[in-house]
Amino acid sequence: MTRRFPDGFVWGAATAAYQVEGSTDADGRGPSIWDTFSRTPGAVLGGHTGDLGTDHYRRFAEDVALMADLGLGAYRFSVAWPRVQPTGRGPANQAGLDFYRRLADTLLAHGIDPVVTLYHWDLPQPLEDAGGWPDRDTAWRFADYAGLVAGALGDRVPLWTTLNEPWCTAYLGYASGEHAPGVQDPARALAAVHTLNLAHGLGARAVRAAAGDAAQVSVTLNLQVNRAASTAPEDVAAKARLDRVANEVFLGPLLDGAYPEEVVAETAHLTDWSFVRDGDLDLVRTRLDALGVNYYTTALVAGAGGAGADGTADVQAASPDGDQRPPANLVTGVRWLHQPGPRTAMGWVVDPSGLTGLLLDLHRRRPDLPLWITENGAAYPDVVADDGRVHDADRVGYLHAHLDAVGAALDAGADVRGYFAWSLLDNFEWAYGYERRFGIVHVDYATLERTVKDSGHWYRRLATTGVLPEPVHAG
Ligand code: IFM
């Protein structure tokens, strides 16, 4: 059956500043927590840093031409806070803002919409030194910064995203310590959750104050699709507990203006939640014009004595599922069971059905809220073949299956407006350095040459026709 997407459906690709820009000392940029963290011995595979990235800061015009060649209608990129406010506070560094104006103008000249994420993990280091995300003052600093960016780009940007994956910022940054700033303190991680929620609310208001009330503001969440291994009460309860600490601590305040009562009780041994003050939740819940969904995989979970506790299940003790699992110091009594099936180079199981279910669940919960797939994609060990091409059939298969899953959600009524492949380019994959490739365009890190992978050619056919090509037609 031919799968045709609705007219006006937006086809894009995404990146993030620290992962692609490089030029970390250019034009007055200050240090971010990732500059510091990546220099910490043992923190990043191979000791890699974002110093070079893919050199996007200097090659953005070439990259925009590439996007145009791929037929993209939108480019989702993030603004580096330390370019705009090198110390995280005070007046704007004009050179930093000018870079993003040039980028936005170049995109618009090619008919590509700039979709801006304000925070994709590169907190100015001085703000971390002052307390970082666990300190509520950071939310007000973020709002100031958001206002500066919106004042400079407000007439160019059709869709704003305040935060990318606050789950990762809070839990990988402050509980597991796998990400910058490398802290392992679950109580501080929960305080960070709240500051991030506040930052979204205050930031959204600041964007509208600077760019006009019509500005469209969203937030992007990496909501986790957890499935209970059985209908046994213990397994169902484990899934619910995980959903609360992973998803509802964000969705609850954003959509309903409240944290789930259970999560407060379930984490009472870590914190009394006194960081939530009167009036905060009114600040968090503000008009949300769209919700960004980042989707990669699913998880199968059981309670301590539930499915497979007799040793029949293959329990994944260590985490090949990386950023899909709340750190052990935040949630106890949950076991992750092995799921059969193909996996990506991240160890994440390929499970497109979770995306259909997630989109439909969100649509049922808030039928009026437009959804965007702000990230979806896969890492595979790509190589440039003798014919000069990258034959990434696995990625073509992954994208095809997930876009079919998006189509199924659209058929069932979900209001999905667009899709951004993660990522436009191979790039700095955080704790994995340059050792994991997510791009639909290959980057040779020695020469910085870009080569459109088979998946990029395949995606061009989709973006230019709106019809989902069969995965075999890669070229
Ligand atoms: O590379 C990241 C991105 O920065 C945030 N979402 C997940 C991607 C793949 O791990």
Side-chain angles (χ1 to χ4, degrees):
M1 189 198 81
T2 304
R3 163 107 36 223
R4 178 178 291 282
F5 284 81
D7 290 345
F9 193 87
V10 176
W11 298 105
T15 65
Y18 190 74
Q19 294 181 273
V20 296
E21 284 180 358
S23 298
T24 48
D25 285 334
D27 300 329
R29 178 188 179 279
S32 81
I33 54 175
W34 270 95
D35 296 293
T36 308
F37 185 70
S38 62
R39 285 179 168 67
T40 308
V44 173
L45 210 59
H48 297 167
T49 73
D51 287 359
L52 184 56
T54 64
D55 203 22
H56 184 60
Y57 189 77
R58 294 191 302 172
R59 293 170 195 248
F60 74 88
E62 177 194 335
D63 290 338
V64 172
L66 192 54
M67 293 176 222
D69 176 60
L70 290 174
L72 303 189
Y75 175 44
R76 173 178 182 249
F77 61 92
S78 78
V79 172
W81 187 345
R83 288 198 195 282
V84 174
Q85 287 180 304
T87 63
R89 54 182 90 228
N93 169 37
Q94 194 56 44
L97 287 177
D98 285 349
F99 168 68
Y100 295 106
R101 288 172 80 121
R102 283 197 301 278
L103 174 57
D105 287 344
T106 308
L107 288 164
L108 290 168
H110 284 81
I112 301 170
D113 278 336
V115 170
V116 170
T117 300
L118 286 162
Y119 185 74
H120 198 127
W121 309 353
D122 42 3
L123 187 72
Q125 183 62 45
L127 291 187
E128 176 56 33
D129 297 340
W133 283 110
D135 183 335
R136 58 190 282 116
D137 183 58
T138 303
W140 277 264
R141 301 286 65 75
F142 175 75
D144 289 350
Y145 152 71
L148 293 173
V149 179
L153 300 181
D155 54 345
R156 293 160 167 85
V157 175
L159 181 63
W160 296 89
T161 300
T162 52
L163 309 172
N164 181 73
E165 300 182 355
W167 185 100
C168 294
T169 301
Y171 292 165
L172 301 184
Y174 295 94
S176 75
E178 290 163 70
H179 279 189
V183 174
Q184 296 183 341
D185 182 340
R188 292 188 71 209
L190 291 168
V193 165
H194 183 59
T195 310
L196 286 155
N197 285 329
L198 273 172
H200 163 75
L202 295 169
R205 286 177 169 79
V207 168
R208 293 198 181 101
D213 196 51
Q216 298 290 292
V217 185
S218 66
V219 63
T220 279
L221 303 177
N222 55 325
L223 296 168
Q224 296 179 10
V225 177
N226 300 309
R227 295 192 178 120
S230 81
T231 53
E234 185 163 358
D235 295 341
V236 173
K239 171 202 156 26
R241 210 156 57 237
L242 258 188
D243 285 350
R244 282 191 286 273
V245 78
N247 302 334
E248 292 303 321
V249 291
F250 300 107
L251 286 174
L254 289 167
L255 302 183
D256 307 328
Y259 287 101
E261 280 171 23
E262 299 96 321
V263 93
V264 175
E266 284 155 2
T267 56
H269 59 296
L270 299 172
T271 174
D272 61 6
W273 288 72
S274 57
F275 45 76
V276 183
R277 299 201 189 150
D278 284 353
D280 280 3
L281 289 162
D282 294 332
L283 295 176
V284 174
R285 188 164 62 158
T286 180
R287 189 184 97 214
L288 193 62
D289 298 307
L291 180 65
V293 174
N294 288 0
Y295 178 87
Y296 291 92
T297 189
T298 56
L300 184 67
V301 301
D310 55 359
T312 53
D314 181 1
V315 178
Q316 291 185 202
S319 169
D321 288 357
D323 67 358
Q324 293 298 317
R325 185 182 299 195
N329 53 12
L330 259 172
V331 58
T332 51
V334 176
R335 291 174 307 122
W336 280 262
L337 305 192
H338 179 73
Q339 302 194 74
R343 287 174 181 267
T344 70
M346 298 296 281
W348 300 344
V349 73
V350 177
D351 187 354
S353 68
L355 180 53
T356 309
L358 175 61
L359 293 169
L360 289 174
D361 283 351
L362 289 167
H363 180 65
R364 277 189 286 267
R365 182 164 176 173
R366 276 290 298 270
D368 60 320
L369 188 62
L371 304 172
W372 291 75
I373 314 296
T374 38
E375 284 181 27
N376 175 238
Y380 289 107
D382 307 311
V383 287
V384 181
D386 289 343
D387 62 2
R389 298 182 59 153
V390 179
H391 299 298
D392 57 339
D394 284 345
R395 184 173 293 101
V396 174
Y398 181 100
L399 295 176
H400 178 272
H402 285 76
L403 281 155
D404 199 39
V406 175
L410 282 162
D411 288 349
D415 181 6
V416 186
R417 302 288 176 93
Y419 176 96
F420 291 85
W422 184 270
S423 175
L424 174 70
L425 301 167
D426 291 338
N427 59 48
F428 176 81
E429 176 53 28
W430 308 112
Y432 294 91
Y434 298 97
E435 300 294 334
R436 296 290 182 279
R437 293 180 178 273
F438 274 90
I440 57 173
V441 176
H442 180 273
V443 176
D444 179 326
Y445 291 116
T447 62
L448 295 167
E449 187 185 350
R450 277 81 162 130
T451 303
V452 177
K453 301 179 190 177
D454 283 358
S455 58
H457 292 295
W458 178 88
Y459 195 62
R460 180 197 286 115
R461 289 164 53 102
L462 171 60
T464 52
T465 63
V467 174
L468 188 63
E470 284 307 307
V472 283
H473 296 133

